[in-house]
Amino acid sequence: MSTVSKPVPHKFLEARIVSQRYSYSGNSVKSHFFLPYTNATTGRRSSSRREILLIYRGPIGGAAVPERKPLSVVHMASSNVDNKDDRISRISSSIRVIPDFPKPGIMFQDITTLLLDPKAFKDTIDLFVERYKDKNINVVAGVEARGFIFGPPIALAIGAKFVPMRKPKKLPGEVISEEYSLEYGTDKIEMHVGAVQPGERAVVVDDLIATGGTLTAAINLLERVGVEVVECACVIELPELKGRDRLGEKQLFVLVSST
Amino acid sequence: MFAAENGLRGDPRLKAISDALSVVPNFPKPGIMFQDITTLVSNHKVFKHTVDIFVDRYRDMGISVVAGVEARGFIFAPPIALAIGAKFIPLRKPGKLPGSIQMQPKSQFYQVDEIMNLCCPGEVISEAYELEYGNDCLEMHVGAVEQGERALIIDDLVATGGTLSAAIRLLEREGAEVVECACVIGLPEVKGRRLLDGKPLYVLVEPRQ
């Protein structure tokens, strides 16, 4: 269930994308950029035809960089944690939404702004640490790359080892891997052989759960080597994508839920 | 400069850190002895020592920004940032930071010295750097740092310093003052060097044999 404590004006950054073919060093080059509108419109995303404007800073002069407009901050409801906790409110407000990234139609939940607020970042970690510190967790597994930002501070605070789970071919030495499906095609995550021991208790950490594909793959990897996955922990959940259902019996703990 | 030459000679933590590293031969290519930090972060006590050494060094330097280089820099930089009350800024490969558009076409149309700093307006800035073969790019969000902020750059390992140099340029372009670059491991190329691109370089240990 989502609740919003007070109305927050929503302004979405709209982008015009312009493509141009231009000549550089005798080669014909096509480039694309997105150029924010100088007047952000309220409450709707652009569905009009997009053009791409080239902004190129070259030997002939400087770029005309358009004035930046603030991106939207969508106030999100809390989930799993007491609504009255002001830490949640601050965390939630510090996350920004970037429309149409990485592709049109996707509203990307950007945690980099949370990381720019030392108190919000500390509160995020504290909330996870408070939950796990007395649960005898031996392993915090973090999924590349944003799981690497949240996992280690949690691991350090609760006395657990940090185990990175990576895209293929990044981990040196012997690895085990688990394939999972994407919207189109499949991907794989890998973990070092011997990183964990059978019987250890683990928490899997990522910044966000969407469909739950990546987290499910991470859980499978750990369970295949005899680890008990106690819970998955994410900063953000996108409940419409039903990741929680996909985890099935596995518990999921999130701080904010974005609808 | 190495930690042992800079106040930590004989500190048992440095030996523990060095012993916790693993070496993987011929990764990612033949002839490279890869310094693997995963065994270090898997050892809670030693991981904590690593972070503590950096935190003790930087806590009173008025640092408000800790930048970490993707992806292994993301493991070490956030704990340092949290402990000293600074913000954490991820420096990422092209196209990863939201708002970034990966440039098309790729660098085949440009020489390294002709790569202009193609600027994604309002969102992400990009800095190219050389690899052994070809080049790569590092990106940062515009507006993440403010003019005059004092910054630290963290990565797991420094070899030629190409990546760190690109990171320094990114932060300086946005008006930050880079106080120091810090890495867990420093390859022989940096032994005896105190500075990288005019910025102090601080390294905990040499590569494990």
Side-chain angles (χ1 to χ4, degrees):
Chain A
M1 185 187 66
S2 64
T3 56
V4 181
S5 62
K6 62 181 180 196
V8 173
H10 293 193
K11 282 208 292 194
F12 290 91
L13 181 71
E14 298 211 25
R16 237 177 349 128
I17 304 174
V18 173
S19 68
Q20 275 196 354
R21 191 161 281 284
Y22 74 108
S23 186
Y24 176 74
S25 294
N27 295 311
S28 177
V29 168
K30 187 168 185 187
S31 278
H32 355 263
F33 279 87
F34 74 80
L35 170 66
Y37 282 121
T38 49
N39 300 309
T41 56
T42 305
R44 64 176 173 83
R45 285 182 9 248
S46 168
S47 56
S48 56
R49 189 171 60 88
R50 291 169 172 271
E51 305 164 295
I52 303 175
L53 174 71
L54 173 68
I55 292 188
Y56 174 69
R57 192 162 77 202
I60 52 170
V65 179
E67 182 196 335
R68 266 185 71 231
K69 288 296 176 188
L71 292 177
S72 70
V73 171
V74 177
H75 188 87
M76 292 174 282
S78 66
S79 176
N80 291 133
V81 184
D82 189 352
N83 277 355
K84 297 185 185 58
D85 197 325
D86 327 298
R87 292 181 292 178
I88 292 291
S89 182
R90 185 175 179 138
I91 290 165
S92 169
S93 314
S94 71
I95 298 167
R96 81 177 161 181
V97 178
I98 298 196
D100 299 325
F101 182 85
K103 35 182 220 214
I106 301 203
M107 304 292 278
F108 190 88
Q109 307 288 321
D110 179 17
I111 46 94
T112 64
T113 40
L114 184 163
L115 306 172
L116 292 179
D117 179 349
K119 182 175 186 331
F121 188 16
K122 183 178 186 307
D123 289 344
T124 303
I125 300 301
D126 287 348
L127 283 161
F128 290 122
V129 169
E130 284 163 21
R131 182 171 180 85
Y132 297 119
K133 67 178 192 284
D134 298 319
K135 293 217 163 82
N136 286 319
I137 305 292
N138 314 107
V139 175
V140 173
V143 181
E144 169 165 19
R146 290 184 288 267
F148 287 10
I149 297 173
F150 297 98
I154 298 169
L156 285 165
I158 68 175
K161 53 171 109 161
F162 175 68
V163 173
M165 310 197 86
R166 300 209 67 173
K167 296 274 153 73
K169 300 206 185 58
K170 300 289 186 75
L171 286 170
E174 214 189 333
V175 296
I176 55 170
S177 61
E178 180 83 13
E179 208 170 75
Y180 61 102
S181 37
L182 301 169
E183 193 180 4
Y184 299 107
T186 61
D187 205 345
K188 250 197 226 183
I189 56 167
E190 296 185 337
M191 181 173 77
H192 265 141
V193 168
V196 292
Q197 304 301 319
E200 287 189 313
R201 288 164 56 80
V203 170
V204 183
V205 174
D206 206 353
D207 65 321
L208 180 148
I209 174 172
T211 61
T214 319
L215 282 175
T216 305
I219 293 168
N220 290 344
L221 258 184
L222 289 161
E223 291 188 330
R224 274 165 55 189
V225 292
V227 166
E228 179 195 345
V229 178
V230 173
E231 198 160 83
C232 292
C234 300
V235 180
I236 306 163
E237 175 185 16
L238 303 180
E240 286 165 3
L241 297 178
K242 304 204 185 318
R244 197 178 279 267
D245 297 343
R246 186 154 173 188
L247 294 186
E249 288 162 8
K250 279 292 170 247
Q251 295 279 73
L252 171 69
F253 176 74
V254 301
L255 303 184
V256 299
S257 190
S258 173
T259 46
Chain B
M1 78 202 90
F2 280 83
E5 300 146 13
N6 196 50
L8 291 183
R9 181 177 299 282
D11 190 320
R13 293 177 299 178
L14 292 179
K15 180 168 192 310
I17 289 168
S18 186
D19 290 347
L21 296 173
S22 319
V23 186
V24 181
N26 302 314
F27 182 90
K29 314 184 290 215
I32 299 195
M33 300 293 277
F34 188 85
Q35 302 290 315
D36 180 17
I37 49 93
T38 63
T39 41
L40 185 158
V41 300
S42 188
N43 179 329
H44 171 258
K45 204 156 59 117
V46 179
F47 187 12
K48 189 167 186 312
H49 287 330
T50 308
V51 173
D52 286 348
I53 292 173
F54 288 127
V55 169
D56 289 341
R57 180 175 177 80
Y58 296 119
R59 110 177 47 251
D60 297 320
M61 282 194 185
I63 288 168
S64 56
V65 173
V66 178
V69 180
E70 171 165 21
R72 290 184 291 265
F74 287 8
I75 298 176
F76 295 98
I80 298 168
L82 286 162
I84 68 175
K87 40 189 179 181
F88 169 66
I89 293 181
L91 303 179
R92 299 209 69 172
K93 295 282 158 67
K96 299 291 189 68
L97 284 172
S100 164
I101 305 282
Q102 192 153 12
M103 293 304 106
Q104 295 292 340
K106 301 271 188 193
S107 56
Q108 70 242 35
F109 286 108
Y110 308 99
Q111 304 302 310
V112 167
D113 59 344
E114 286 177 304
I115 290 178
M116 300 303 169
N117 295 319
L118 295 167
C119 182
C120 292
E123 277 311 311
V124 161
I125 54 169
S126 198
E127 190 71 35
Y129 61 100
E130 281 185 53
L131 299 171
E132 194 179 2
Y133 300 107
N135 46 68
D136 204 343
C137 214
L138 209 54
E139 295 188 336
M140 182 173 85
H141 268 139
V142 170
V145 294
E146 285 162 45
Q147 188 75 25
E149 286 202 273
R150 288 164 60 79
L152 206 55
I153 302 174
I154 305 286
D155 205 353
D156 65 324
L157 179 148
V158 53
T160 60
T163 319
L164 285 177
S165 296
I168 293 168
R169 288 194 298 276
L170 273 177
L171 284 160
E172 292 190 324
R173 276 166 63 186
E174 282 286 290
E177 178 199 340
V178 176
V179 172
E180 196 156 271
C181 295
C183 300
V184 180
I185 307 160
L187 292 199
E189 286 100 307
V190 299
K191 195 164 173 71
R193 284 170 63 178
R194 276 194 52 249
L195 300 178
L196 175 72
D197 279 11
K199 301 296 172 191
L201 175 66
Y202 185 74
V203 175
L204 298 190
V205 297
E206 295 185 46
R208 184 142 191 223
Q209 300 309 319

